[in-house]
Amino acid sequence: MNTNSSNMMALAPNTSKKRETVCIFGTGDFGRALGHKMIQCGYHVVYGSRSTQISNLVPKDAEVLSHAEAAQKAAIVIIAIQRQHYNFLTPLAEILRGKVVVDISNNLKLNQYPESNAEYLAQLLPGARVVKAFNTVSAWALQSGALDASRQVFVCGDDTEAKEMVMNIVRALGLTPLDQGSLLAAQEIENYPLQLFPMWKFPIFLSLGLTAFFFFYCLALDVIYTYIYEHNNFSFFIAMTIPNRICPVVALILLGLVYLPGVLAAIIQLYRGTKYRRFPDWLDKWMLCRKQLGLIALAFASLHAVFTLASPLRSFVKWRNAKPIISQALNNKTEPLDTTNAWLSDSYLALGIIGFFFFVLVGITSLPSVSNSVNWREFRFVQSKLGYLTLILCTAHTLVYGGKWFLSPTAYKWYLPNIYMLSLVVPCAVLVVKFVLIFPCVDKPLTQIRQGWERNPKSSEQSNYIINKSAV
Amino acid sequence: MNTNSSNMMALAPNTSKKRETVCIFGTGDFGRALGHKMIQCGYHVVYGSRSTQISNLVPKDAEVLSHAEAAQKAAIVIIAIQRQHYNFLTPLAEILRGKVVVDISNNLKLNQYPESNAEYLAQLLPGARVVKAFNTVSAWALQSGALDASRQVFVCGDDTEAKEMVMNIVRALGLTPLDQGSLLAAQEIENYPLQLFPMWKFPIFLSLGLTAFFFFYCLALDVIYTYIYEHNNFSFFIAMTIPNRICPVVALILLGLVYLPGVLAAIIQLYRGTKYRRFPDWLDKWMLCRKQLGLIALAFASLHAVFTLASPLRSFVKWRNAKPIISQALNNKTEPLDTTNAWLSDSYLALGIIGFFFFVLVGITSLPSVSNSVNWREFRFVQSKLGYLTLILCTAHTLVYGGKWFLSPTAYKWYLPNIYMLSLVVPCAVLVVKFVLIFPCVDKPLTQIRQGWERNPKSSEQSNYIINKSAV
Amino acid sequence: MNTNSSNMMALAPNTSKKRETVCIFGTGDFGRALGHKMIQCGYHVVYGSRSTQISNLVPKDAEVLSHAEAAQKAAIVIIAIQRQHYNFLTPLAEILRGKVVVDISNNLKLNQYPESNAEYLAQLLPGARVVKAFNTVSAWALQSGALDASRQVFVCGDDTEAKEMVMNIVRALGLTPLDQGSLLAAQEIENYPLQLFPMWKFPIFLSLGLTAFFFFYCLALDVIYTYIYEHNNFSFFIAMTIPNRICPVVALILLGLVYLPGVLAAIIQLYRGTKYRRFPDWLDKWMLCRKQLGLIALAFASLHAVFTLASPLRSFVKWRNAKPIISQALNNKTEPLDTTNAWLSDSYLALGIIGFFFFVLVGITSLPSVSNSVNWREFRFVQSKLGYLTLILCTAHTLVYGGKWFLSPTAYKWYLPNIYMLSLVVPCAVLVVKFVLIFPCVDKPLTQIRQGWERNPKSSEQSNYIINKSAV
């Protein structure tokens, strides 16, 4: 195998080229991993340590000196020490004056301290040019070269030249530096690696809650009801039938919930006569997680599509399809084609397929690289126009699927509606309100409001700032 | 929900950290939105306005002064005024001398003025360091924090330091600055937000035209012909059967049209004996929208795949499949397996599936982030080699699908061929010509020409520049 | 069609705006293409050439002078000459002193020379500010404007100001410059365009080998055995049945091979009691191509999904499904539903669908733009947690598919197991070992080792450096 790929390049030692000397304070795991990597990439590394005795853990080609001696040997000092031990650096402030001091620390919790570690370090060392970097890279990734997710190194600092020096080291290690501006960005950079899909939490819990609710609803109506009243054991419905009922229902409800906050916001703006008053907090948060809601809806819709396409493979479906054929053969007759049924079945399938197609299209534009390559107008077109088209098609798909069953009393076991009827509530409400909102008499004032016009400029502005104050 | 995601970060006011003062000229919608956002991010904002009376619309924490006073308070002046009012700035030229003046304006039409707004501003204010920025961000996105599509802020300007100052503000607002070079790039940046998929227009209209043509063709042959001559009402074919005939046909024709211009270009180059003469304009444009044609072909192919996989769910198909089974049962016999039929049906399905698989593979490499991570040689390999493999497989799929029907007279209703026969014309022509082009006796001179060799250097060069001149 | 897209922008000549003069040494194909493009973008181009007679090939608006004269006219000199002719530049060293000299050359082989062409050039011209750029762009792409894959131009150099000047030209030509740091990066940049999916070679050959082996295995058992002992001609199995047996088997084995090296690495670390000793070379390489193995496994799994969903369309399957229906009709009875069978068939389908769903999810996070937008913790969660969930679900899918056949002697034709049984070996082994590794008594020391703890610090460290030395 050719080892000269860009992935492996960074692993290969090119010791023939000597780069500058870099000092690392601290011989912990990350300090050692970083030092090892830098030596591989041609840097000369000097460790600053309290004791020069534990040198057997440190890369062999590195020197180990006292902190003061080590710092004097290099223009760049990397602090691989935890924040609670930063105090010991104060006596070294004079030696570190003018040097590039790199803070690579992370915290255990989000916003653990009032100021970021890098800003705290800058306070301790007034003369040093503090740069924040490397905190998003793991020691394991540095050592193993498995740098798929962590190629990006966020760098920030107040001194442009110092930042450039650190970014050159980042590039030399085979990583991608991203300039995040001044040291004020350090807090954000330190919080970044602690997150685990923060924007996804609410949408995922919501969809899991809906799934659980509809699972028990279906279990009662499809398995338990059938067992009690018809003495059929359809427990195997749990594997395919019930999931394939839940998925489209959750997908349609979530898709409705993507467009509901936009409609609510329009009503609030129309009612208030201004766009300069802040929305309620729940609406703000809801609007910010619409993308996540939509993508989870797409996941459920995809599962529904595959479950449906796989249904002819099920032995239950084969058995159910064989029954009418055998009975026709036994009764010695061939039933003619029911054209109404053919229309219904074909159009509900076609609506579903085309709706799903547009849904996937909208989903593809949510990929970061695609949404970055379209402009605002194009993005709005896809997310708003194509999104509403998807909602209309999927709602129509469900309505046609229901067909004549809406009014049939046998569809209501235990007087409860089938779950696809429940799924129609949110999207139908959104579509009806949206339909009202595009009437010219409603659309015109709304457009004016969104362009900055206000019905009662004075009063609204005041209440705005009252609200903002209480929110801050 | 955890609010410390990078998306929401930009919304959170971190007023504890004071940044520099920024001046905004103009209290229109965008000026107010930008000022509000900057105050949230710790900047001190001073508005320059003709009248200091309309201050109730302006964010409360901002000062409102006259233009001259406001400009003197800040090193950066953002001009949130429309181009037609730029004249009023000429008296302020002296005050703005040396300051960073940020042009954020957009036009209503592409190339509305001979020079870009930013260059016009630079002419009006000779001493100012003009930077173009923020024009791709909408006021709505700034206020709502819904910055999915508009995180990228194109920045250009002739003064590097001024540009860096503006890029720091962009980063502080939670946006991503993209340095586009000198102020000459301003025209392009101003045109950018006015576009709505310009490269997609021709491919989309072409595919819609083809779809409409084939729809009426199929309607005539499958529904009207059947109704007239066989007295069957197959109107429900409109929902599923006809779309599933149109989709593969349009997909195959578009895929052929992706590779046709390359073949035409090779013929033209061989005929002319040089690559230094410009292609006809239509061929140039056609070659530039091949990616879009290919992606639309992929969309139609995907629809065809899903329509086909969903067909066993149709009540018409169930009824049609049941007929031979019932007749076998009634006639008391079991028909043996027709091996030829099994071979035909299996191989046409397998060819289609593998062709679609490679088509999707080629489509994935069209994603911006994937095509950016491969080099030119790899991209050519996928787009050319795998693309032709896809074309061969899809053409073979259609040929095997046709099978023995090509020569059967019953396949020609009203003496018209079935549409899958029409779809074979373009791809077969491309494949035949391409087959000729890879013969060594043709391939060798073509390769030489593409490496810069010319049959008649002198004459071709002259005509080249005559052609270029007339084109300019 | 609107021609003002960002793709076509770079093609449009904006000759009204004059930029600085650029000198190009060499009138070969790339030199001419680059000069033509630069003239279109407003630069004044001067060619340096041995003979000023061959000017008819050169763009008409360009001057052609001797090397020395041309170099004196511009601050930037682009060397469009092959490395073996660089010697002729030594007499010009004095003229090129202080100028920005751009090396755009590529080699024919990886690491053809001990030092990169750009570094060699810098040695020849000690006073010049050498910048490496443009080598990843092809002449054809520059001329045709088909810049999809080659928009990125890697730039490196030791002089920041020189680099910035070159990056401005790159931007003016409509390309995207990527700063790769100092001139030490030139070797990597020169190797880049010569690669053809280096990381993919081993995974692709492995999967093709597995596919070939299982193809002949299936051919023997399904076609030849049936032909010899049952006198049935099932040769058409080659088209659909056998591919659909091979795909899931190869997919599952490859997926197992993705997680096997991680498990082996854990065992090695536990055995050695340290993480600071280098893994064997084969394990290192294996770990680095896990992403590629996983994506190929996903491709095979996708093919399996589509083959399976398409199976109801096969005429063989229709014939096979009709047989029991006809026999029921002829025997005048309706068989009741076999609930055990329904459970088995539904749960194996459901496991497969959900496993495939998670597999696709893991695959999507492998897209560069998605993996760049998640942090290390999120990436590990998806790749490790969701990856193992996928492996468990897919293994369970295969186990339930096997169902009661494992113990049935009729499943062993020629005493050979069915291939799905072979596919279970690797994933089951991985899951069993992983299950052992998550026991607290094993997990605790492993976690300690991975955080830097060592069982025998002294001895392991020494052997580490002995090993490392022999490896270097």
Side-chain angles (χ1 to χ4, degrees):
Chain A
M1 207 182 84
N2 190 335
T3 60
N4 277 75
S5 85
S6 59
N7 273 326
M8 298 191 67
M9 195 86 49
L11 280 181
N14 24 355
T15 38
S16 63
K17 298 157 188 166
K18 264 290 166 241
R19 302 185 195 243
E20 72 254 42
T21 299
V22 175
C23 167
I24 299 176
F25 277 11
T27 53
D29 189 32
F30 194 79
R32 294 198 303 256
L34 192 60
H36 215 282
K37 181 89 183 172
M38 294 179 92
I39 289 169
Q40 280 183 330
C41 296
Y43 287 94
H44 181 225
V45 173
V46 188
Y47 279 96
S49 173
R50 269 163 304 174
S51 143
T52 58
Q53 299 302 310
I54 54 154
S55 60
N56 54 347
L57 278 169
V58 155
K60 199 189 160 203
D61 297 328
E63 276 181 88
V64 182
L65 302 170
S66 75
H67 288 112
E69 286 172 317
Q72 272 162 341
K73 290 219 170 185
I76 298 176
V77 181
I78 296 172
I79 311 292
I81 291 167
Q82 285 177 314
R83 178 191 168 118
Q84 53 265 38
H85 305 307
Y86 279 6
N87 297 322
F88 92 94
L89 291 166
T90 32
L92 299 166
E94 206 44 50
I95 294 166
L96 294 173
R97 178 169 301 276
K99 289 198 188 296
V100 178
V101 176
V102 186
D103 184 297
I104 62 169
S105 63
N106 274 323
N107 294 324
L108 297 173
K109 290 190 303 184
L110 291 165
N111 299 315
Q112 196 172 354
Y113 298 99
E115 80 284 71
S116 68
N117 300 353
E119 287 166 300
Y120 174 62
L121 187 63
Q123 286 166 22
L124 288 178
L125 306 171
R129 298 141 86 194
V130 175
V131 174
K132 179 88 205 176
F134 287 113
N135 70 310
T136 54
V137 184
S138 78
W140 182 82
L142 270 180
Q143 285 171 323
S144 69
L147 292 159
D148 281 325
S150 55
R151 300 221 126 203
Q152 295 190 321
V153 173
F154 297 111
V155 180
C156 77
D158 291 332
D159 185 300
T160 309
E161 199 200 339
K163 211 156 57 176
E164 191 55 41
M165 284 166 76
V166 174
M167 284 165 78
N168 274 332
I169 295 179
V170 172
R171 286 190 201 102
L173 304 191
L175 303 165
T176 311
L178 282 180
D179 190 344
Q180 298 295 101
S182 76
L183 210 57
L184 290 170
Q187 182 109 45
E188 200 175 323
I189 295 177
E190 287 172 13
N191 281 334
Y192 182 73
L194 296 169
Q195 294 167 0
L196 187 64
F197 297 114
M199 302 298 290
W200 288 87
K201 266 179 200 156
F202 173 69
I204 284 176
F205 286 136
L206 177 68
S207 56
L208 288 182
L210 284 172
T211 305
F213 170 73
F214 286 121
F215 177 75
F216 290 112
Y217 196 99
C218 281
L219 196 72
L221 289 196
D222 292 332
V223 177
I224 297 172
Y225 182 97
T226 319
Y227 189 75
I228 295 174
Y229 292 93
E230 300 169 14
H231 303 287
N232 278 323
N233 179 8
F234 281 168
S235 60
F236 62 88
F237 272 21
I238 292 171
M240 287 275 288
T241 309
I242 292 180
N244 198 22
R245 283 202 190 154
I246 296 170
C247 284
V249 164
V250 175
L252 191 57
I253 291 177
L254 291 178
L255 187 61
L257 292 178
V258 169
Y259 290 97
L260 187 53
V263 161
L264 291 179
I267 293 173
I268 289 176
Q269 286 178 338
L270 272 175
Y271 173 77
R272 289 177 176 170
T274 176
K275 71 163 183 177
Y276 291 105
R277 271 171 64 192
R278 206 177 172 137
F279 291 128
D281 220 38
W282 54 268
L283 189 57
D284 254 359
K285 281 187 182 162
W286 189 354
M287 290 182 94
L288 285 171
C289 66
R290 283 182 293 179
K291 177 180 163 184
Q292 284 75 17
L293 279 172
L295 287 176
I296 293 175
L298 178 56
F300 276 94
S302 308
L303 276 177
H304 168 53
V306 180
F307 272 121
T308 306
L309 293 177
S311 67
L313 305 167
R314 296 172 61 193
S315 73
F316 167 68
V317 171
K318 285 179 192 162
W319 172 81
R320 200 182 53 189
N321 285 346
K323 269 209 311 199
I325 300 174
I326 296 171
S327 80
Q328 283 180 57
L330 294 183
N331 296 331
N332 221 339
K333 63 168 183 179
T334 318
E335 273 174 24
L337 177 65
D338 179 345
T339 320
T340 319
N341 248 350
W343 255 115
L344 272 179
S345 111
D346 279 14
S347 53
Y348 115 72
L349 282 171
L351 284 168
I353 291 169
I354 297 171
F356 182 64
F357 172 77
F358 283 112
F359 207 165
V360 170
L361 220 64
V362 174
I364 288 173
T365 59
S366 296
L367 284 172
S369 67
V370 177
S371 66
N372 273 341
S373 66
V374 300
N375 66 31
W376 180 244
R377 200 178 154 210
E378 292 164 347
F379 186 75
R380 290 276 298 165
F381 176 81
V382 171
Q383 297 284 327
S384 174
K385 296 275 159 50
L386 288 193
Y388 265 107
L389 185 59
T390 304
L391 185 60
I392 291 168
L393 287 167
C394 292
T395 310
H397 166 69
T398 313
L399 283 168
V400 176
Y401 167 78
K404 51 196 170 190
W405 289 96
F406 284 105
L407 299 173
S408 152
T410 61
Y412 298 86
K413 296 173 186 167
W414 283 333
Y415 306 106
L416 289 171
N418 204 314
I419 60 165
Y420 73 84
M421 302 178 190
L422 298 180
S423 76
L424 285 164
V425 177
V426 178
C428 286
V430 170
L431 289 175
V432 167
V433 178
K434 183 73 186 175
F435 183 70
V436 172
L437 286 174
I438 57 173
F439 270 90
C441 59
V442 185
D443 186 50
K444 216 179 124 192
L446 187 61
T447 307
Q448 285 180 329
I449 287 169
R450 287 189 172 164
Q451 285 167 350
W453 175 85
E454 294 198 88
R455 201 158 48 219
N456 309 307
K458 193 71 189 172
S459 63
S460 73
E461 186 62 16
Q462 286 177 331
S463 48
N464 175 19
Y465 283 103
I466 292 160
I467 285 165
N468 270 351
K469 273 231 159 146
S470 61
V472 169
Chain B
M1 207 181 85
N2 190 336
T3 60
N4 277 74
S5 86
S6 60
N7 272 326
M8 299 191 67
M9 196 85 50
L11 281 181
N14 23 353
T15 38
S16 62
K17 299 157 188 168
K18 263 291 165 240
R19 302 183 196 245
E20 71 255 40
T21 298
V22 174
C23 167
I24 299 175
F25 276 12
T27 53
D29 189 30
F30 194 80
R32 295 197 302 257
L34 192 61
H36 215 281
K37 181 88 183 174
M38 293 178 92
I39 289 169
Q40 280 184 328
C41 296
Y43 287 94
H44 181 225
V45 174
V46 187
Y47 280 95
S49 174
R50 270 163 303 177
S51 142
T52 58
Q53 299 303 308
I54 55 156
S55 61
N56 55 347
L57 277 170
V58 155
K60 198 190 162 203
D61 297 328
E63 275 181 89
V64 183
L65 302 170
S66 75
H67 288 113
E69 287 172 317
Q72 272 162 341
K73 290 219 169 185
I76 299 176
V77 180
I78 296 171
I79 311 293
I81 290 165
Q82 285 176 314
R83 178 191 168 118
Q84 52 265 39
H85 306 306
Y86 278 8
N87 298 322
F88 92 94
L89 289 167
T90 32
L92 299 167
E94 207 44 51
I95 294 167
L96 293 174
R97 179 169 301 276
K99 290 199 189 293
V100 179
V101 175
V102 187
D103 184 298
I104 61 168
S105 63
N106 274 324
N107 294 323
L108 296 173
K109 290 190 302 183
L110 290 166
N111 299 315
Q112 197 172 355
Y113 299 98
E115 80 283 72
S116 67
N117 300 353
E119 287 166 299
Y120 174 62
L121 187 63
Q123 286 165 25
L124 288 177
L125 306 171
R129 297 141 85 194
V130 174
V131 174
K132 179 90 206 175
F134 288 113
N135 71 312
T136 53
V137 184
S138 78
W140 182 82
L142 270 181
Q143 285 171 323
S144 69
L147 291 160
D148 281 326
S150 57
R151 301 220 126 203
Q152 293 191 321
V153 173
F154 298 111
V155 179
C156 76
D158 291 331
D159 185 299
T160 310
E161 199 199 341
K163 211 156 56 174
E164 190 56 40
M165 283 166 77
V166 175
M167 284 165 79
N168 274 332
I169 294 179
V170 171
R171 286 189 200 104
L173 303 191
L175 303 165
T176 310
L178 282 180
D179 188 345
Q180 297 296 99
S182 77
L183 210 58
L184 290 170
Q187 184 109 43
E188 198 175 325
I189 295 177
E190 286 171 13
N191 281 334
Y192 182 74
L194 296 168
Q195 295 166 1
L196 187 63
F197 298 113
M199 301 298 290
W200 287 87
K201 265 176 200 156
F202 173 70
I204 284 174
F205 286 136
L206 177 68
S207 56
L208 288 182
L210 284 172
T211 305
F213 170 74
F214 287 120
F215 177 76
F216 290 112
Y217 195 99
C218 281
L219 196 70
L221 290 196
D222 292 333
V223 176
I224 298 172
Y225 182 96
T226 319
Y227 189 75
I228 295 174
Y229 293 93
E230 300 170 14
H231 303 287
N232 277 323
N233 178 8
F234 281 166
S235 62
F236 63 88
F237 272 21
I238 292 171
M240 286 275 287
T241 309
I242 293 180
N244 199 21
R245 284 203 190 154
I246 297 169
C247 284
V249 164
V250 175
L252 190 58
I253 291 176
L254 291 178
L255 187 60
L257 292 178
V258 169
Y259 289 96
L260 188 53
V263 161
L264 291 179
I267 293 171
I268 291 176
Q269 286 179 339
L270 272 174
Y271 173 77
R272 289 178 175 171
T274 176
K275 70 163 185 178
Y276 290 106
R277 273 173 62 195
R278 210 179 167 132
F279 291 127
D281 221 37
W282 55 268
L283 189 57
D284 253 359
K285 281 187 182 162
W286 189 353
M287 289 182 94
L288 285 171
C289 66
R290 283 182 293 178
K291 178 181 163 180
Q292 284 75 16
L293 279 172
L295 287 176
I296 293 174
L298 179 56
F300 276 93
S302 308
L303 276 176
H304 168 53
V306 180
F307 272 121
T308 306
L309 292 178
S311 68
L313 305 167
R314 297 172 60 193
S315 73
F316 167 69
V317 171
K318 283 180 194 163
W319 171 81
R320 201 182 53 188
N321 286 343
K323 270 209 308 198
I325 299 174
I326 296 169
S327 79
Q328 284 179 55
L330 295 183
N331 297 330
N332 220 341
K333 64 167 182 181
T334 319
E335 273 173 25
L337 178 64
D338 180 345
T339 320
T340 319
N341 248 349
W343 256 113
L344 273 178
S345 112
D346 279 13
S347 53
Y348 116 73
L349 282 171
L351 283 167
I353 290 169
I354 297 171
F356 182 64
F357 172 77
F358 282 112
F359 207 165
V360 170
L361 220 64
V362 175
I364 288 174
T365 59
S366 297
L367 285 172
S369 67
V370 178
S371 66
N372 273 340
S373 66
V374 299
N375 66 31
W376 180 244
R377 200 179 153 208
E378 293 164 346
F379 186 75
R380 291 275 298 165
F381 175 82
V382 171
Q383 297 284 326
S384 175
K385 297 273 159 49
L386 288 193
Y388 265 107
L389 185 59
T390 304
L391 185 59
I392 292 168
L393 287 167
C394 293
T395 310
H397 165 69
T398 314
L399 283 168
V400 176
Y401 168 78
K404 51 197 171 190
W405 290 96
F406 283 105
L407 299 173
S408 153
T410 61
Y412 297 87
K413 297 172 185 168
W414 283 332
Y415 307 105
L416 287 171
N418 203 313
I419 59 165
Y420 73 84
M421 300 176 192
L422 299 180
S423 76
L424 284 165
V425 176
V426 178
C428 285
V430 170
L431 288 177
V432 166
V433 178
K434 182 73 187 176
F435 183 70
V436 172
L437 287 173
I438 58 172
F439 270 91
C441 59
V442 186
D443 186 48
K444 217 179 125 192
L446 186 62
T447 306
Q448 284 180 330
I449 288 168
R450 289 190 170 162
Q451 284 167 352
W453 175 84
E454 294 197 87
R455 200 157 49 216
N456 308 308
K458 194 73 192 170
S459 63
S460 72
E461 185 63 16
Q462 286 178 332
S463 49
N464 174 20
Y465 284 103
I466 291 161
I467 285 165
N468 270 350
K469 272 228 159 149
S470 63
V472 169
Chain C
M1 208 182 85
N2 190 335
T3 61
N4 276 76
S5 85
S6 59
N7 272 327
M8 300 191 66
M9 195 86 47
L11 281 181
N14 22 353
T15 39
S16 63
K17 297 157 189 167
K18 265 289 166 242
R19 302 184 195 244
E20 70 255 42
T21 298
V22 174
C23 168
I24 298 176
F25 277 12
T27 54
D29 190 33
F30 194 80
R32 296 198 302 258
L34 192 61
H36 215 283
K37 181 86 184 176
M38 293 179 92
I39 289 169
Q40 281 184 329
C41 296
Y43 286 94
H44 181 226
V45 173
V46 188
Y47 280 95
S49 173
R50 269 161 304 174
S51 143
T52 57
Q53 298 303 309
I54 54 155
S55 61
N56 54 348
L57 278 170
V58 155
K60 199 190 160 205
D61 297 328
E63 276 181 89
V64 182
L65 302 171
S66 75
H67 287 114
E69 286 172 318
Q72 272 162 343
K73 288 220 170 185
I76 298 177
V77 181
I78 296 171
I79 311 294
I81 291 167
Q82 285 177 313
R83 178 192 168 117
Q84 52 264 41
H85 306 305
Y86 279 6
N87 297 322
F88 93 94
L89 290 167
T90 33
L92 299 166
E94 206 43 51
I95 293 166
L96 294 173
R97 179 170 300 276
K99 290 198 188 295
V100 179
V101 175
V102 186
D103 183 297
I104 63 168
S105 62
N106 274 324
N107 294 323
L108 296 173
K109 290 190 302 182
L110 290 167
N111 299 315
Q112 197 173 354
Y113 298 99
E115 80 283 71
S116 68
N117 300 352
E119 286 165 300
Y120 174 62
L121 187 62
Q123 285 164 25
L124 288 177
L125 307 170
R129 296 140 86 195
V130 175
V131 174
K132 179 88 206 174
F134 287 113
N135 71 311
T136 54
V137 184
S138 78
W140 183 83
L142 269 179
Q143 285 171 324
S144 69
L147 291 161
D148 281 324
S150 58
R151 301 221 124 203
Q152 294 190 321
V153 174
F154 297 111
V155 180
C156 76
D158 290 332
D159 185 301
T160 310
E161 198 199 339
K163 210 155 59 174
E164 189 56 39
M165 285 166 76
V166 175
M167 285 165 78
N168 274 333
I169 294 179
V170 173
R171 286 191 201 101
L173 304 190
L175 303 165
T176 309
L178 282 180
D179 188 344
Q180 297 295 101
S182 76
L183 210 57
L184 290 171
Q187 183 110 43
E188 198 175 327
I189 295 176
E190 287 172 12
N191 281 333
Y192 182 74
L194 296 169
Q195 295 167 0
L196 187 64
F197 297 114
M199 301 299 289
W200 288 86
K201 267 177 201 156
F202 173 69
I204 284 176
F205 286 136
L206 176 68
S207 56
L208 289 182
L210 284 173
T211 305
F213 170 74
F214 287 121
F215 178 76
F216 291 112
Y217 195 100
C218 283
L219 197 71
L221 290 196
D222 292 333
V223 177
I224 298 173
Y225 182 97
T226 319
Y227 190 75
I228 295 175
Y229 293 93
E230 300 170 13
H231 304 286
N232 277 324
N233 179 8
F234 280 167
S235 62
F236 63 88
F237 272 20
I238 292 170
M240 286 276 288
T241 309
I242 292 179
N244 199 21
R245 283 202 191 157
I246 296 169
C247 284
V249 164
V250 175
L252 191 57
I253 291 176
L254 290 178
L255 187 60
L257 291 178
V258 169
Y259 289 97
L260 187 53
V263 161
L264 290 180
I267 292 172
I268 289 175
Q269 286 178 338
L270 271 176
Y271 173 76
R272 289 179 177 169
T274 177
K275 71 164 183 176
Y276 291 105
R277 272 170 64 192
R278 210 176 168 137
F279 291 127
D281 220 38
W282 55 267
L283 188 56
D284 255 357
K285 282 188 181 162
W286 190 353
M287 289 183 94
L288 285 171
C289 67
R290 283 182 293 179
K291 178 180 163 182
Q292 284 75 16
L293 279 172
L295 287 175
I296 294 175
L298 179 56
F300 276 94
S302 308
L303 276 176
H304 168 52
V306 180
F307 272 121
T308 305
L309 293 177
S311 67
L313 305 167
R314 297 172 60 193
S315 73
F316 166 68
V317 171
K318 284 180 193 162
W319 171 81
R320 200 182 53 188
N321 285 344
K323 270 209 312 198
I325 300 174
I326 296 169
S327 78
Q328 284 179 55
L330 295 183
N331 296 330
N332 220 340
K333 62 168 183 178
T334 319
E335 273 175 24
L337 177 67
D338 179 345
T339 321
T340 318
N341 248 350
W343 256 114
L344 273 178
S345 112
D346 279 14
S347 53
Y348 115 72
L349 283 170
L351 284 168
I353 292 169
I354 298 171
F356 182 64
F357 171 78
F358 282 112
F359 207 164
V360 170
L361 219 65
V362 175
I364 288 173
T365 59
S366 296
L367 285 171
S369 67
V370 178
S371 65
N372 273 340
S373 68
V374 298
N375 65 32
W376 180 245
R377 201 179 153 207
E378 292 164 347
F379 187 75
R380 290 275 299 167
F381 176 80
V382 172
Q383 296 284 328
S384 174
K385 296 275 158 52
L386 288 193
Y388 265 108
L389 185 58
T390 305
L391 185 61
I392 291 168
L393 288 167
C394 292
T395 310
H397 166 68
T398 313
L399 283 168
V400 176
Y401 167 78
K404 51 198 169 189
W405 290 96
F406 284 105
L407 298 173
S408 152
T410 61
Y412 298 86
K413 297 173 186 166
W414 282 333
Y415 306 106
L416 288 171
N418 204 313
I419 60 165
Y420 72 85
M421 300 177 192
L422 298 180
S423 76
L424 284 166
V425 176
V426 179
C428 286
V430 170
L431 289 176
V432 166
V433 179
K434 182 73 185 176
F435 183 69
V436 172
L437 286 174
I438 57 173
F439 270 91
C441 58
V442 185
D443 185 49
K444 216 179 128 192
L446 187 61
T447 307
Q448 284 179 330
I449 287 169
R450 288 188 170 164
Q451 284 167 351
W453 175 84
E454 295 198 85
R455 200 158 47 219
N456 308 308
K458 194 70 188 173
S459 63
S460 73
E461 187 61 19
Q462 285 178 331
S463 49
N464 175 21
Y465 283 102
I466 290 160
I467 286 164
N468 270 350
K469 272 228 159 151
S470 61
V472 170

